[in-house]
């Protein structure tokens, strides 16, 4: 058994500079990754208590990618506040490598094909020097078969690609994209990808914005992010606000 092996795992292998631990099932991959050091990643075939953002459950049946990656995040915390935003972009970049294109971001890091959700991210910090990016990507699983309210609201990579795609391939591409993102942020080069991120929001969307500590939500248009990763929002009175991602409690599209 490898010295890096964890109790209960199916396999432990080196993948492009990562140490990848694979389990048949776990309650959630994020807390398991949270106990590991940087450049370890944890994948489960099934999560029995998958967690989404804002305390929601995340359906994690067999056939999807449920992966948590531990990235080093040294130095000031503020520098890394753009990581959750960049992580959504990184997943889009990874899927572009298998010719799945035309995806868009919904703030802060949901990945959609049109109005249907393909992937989501839950970024958590368990240790001051590391960040855990938890990513769930639907591939050929069917969340709507387990949760009727999701009918017509999700989509998988297999349907978009038009052919079967292995979880192992998407795992490798995603880990590679996270490594490149980490390096860009570490070297203060986020501005190089800000413009590309802005092409992924699609057309300017009418949104409702709730700020931390402000009871009344604002409505207006989401304009994208600036080179430092701050959100640009024009309210209904025509005032443009530039906000750090950490100030935003919720930004939802208004249809
Ligand atoms: C969301 O869109 O609400 C975020 C979903 C995040 C799901 C992933 S799957 C791997 C990791 N483990 C979890 O329990 N959640 C994240």
């Amino acid at each position: 058994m490898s010295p890096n092996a964890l109790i209960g795992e199916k396999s432990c292998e080196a993948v492009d500079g990562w140490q990848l631990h694979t389990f048949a099932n776990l309650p959630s991959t994020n807390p398991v990754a949270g106990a590991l050091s940087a450049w370890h990643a944890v994948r489960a075939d099934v999560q029995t208590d998958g967690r989404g953002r804002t305390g929601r459950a995340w359906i994690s049946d067999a056939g999807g990618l449920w992966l948590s990656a531990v990235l080093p995040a040294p130095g000031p915390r503020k520098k890394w506040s753009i990581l959750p935003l960049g992580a959504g972009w990184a997943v889009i970049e990874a899927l572009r490598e298998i010719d799945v294109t035309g995806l868009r971001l919904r703030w802060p890091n949901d990945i959609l094909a049109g109005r249907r959700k393909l992937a989501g991210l839950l970024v958590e910090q368990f240790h001051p020097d590391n960040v855990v990016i938890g990513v769930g990507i639907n591939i050929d699983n069917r969340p709507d078969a387990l949760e009727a309210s999701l009918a017509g609201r999700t989509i998988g990579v297999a349907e978009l690609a038009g052919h079967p795609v292995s979880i192992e391939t998407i795992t490798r591409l995603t880990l590679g994209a996270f490594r490149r993102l980490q390096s860009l942020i570490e070297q203060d080069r986020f501005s190089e990808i800000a413009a590309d991120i802005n092409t992924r929001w699609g057309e300017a969307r009418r949104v409702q914005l709730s700020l931390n500590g402000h009871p009344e939500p604002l409505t207006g248009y989401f304009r994208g992010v600036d080179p430092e990763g701050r959100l640009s929002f024009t309210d209904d009175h025509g005032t443009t606000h530039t906000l750090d991602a950490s100030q935003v409690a919720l930004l939802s599209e208004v249809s």
Side-chain angles (χ1 to χ4, degrees), residues 148 154 158 234 253:
T154 65
T234 305
E253 290 178 8

Side-chain angles (χ1 to χ4, degrees), residues 90 93-94 97 173 175-185:
E93 286 294 290
E97 294 189 56
L173 295 173
L175 290 175
F178 286 163
R179 183 176 272 277
R180 290 192 291 281
L181 174 71
Q182 193 280 345
S183 165
L184 279 171
I185 297 176

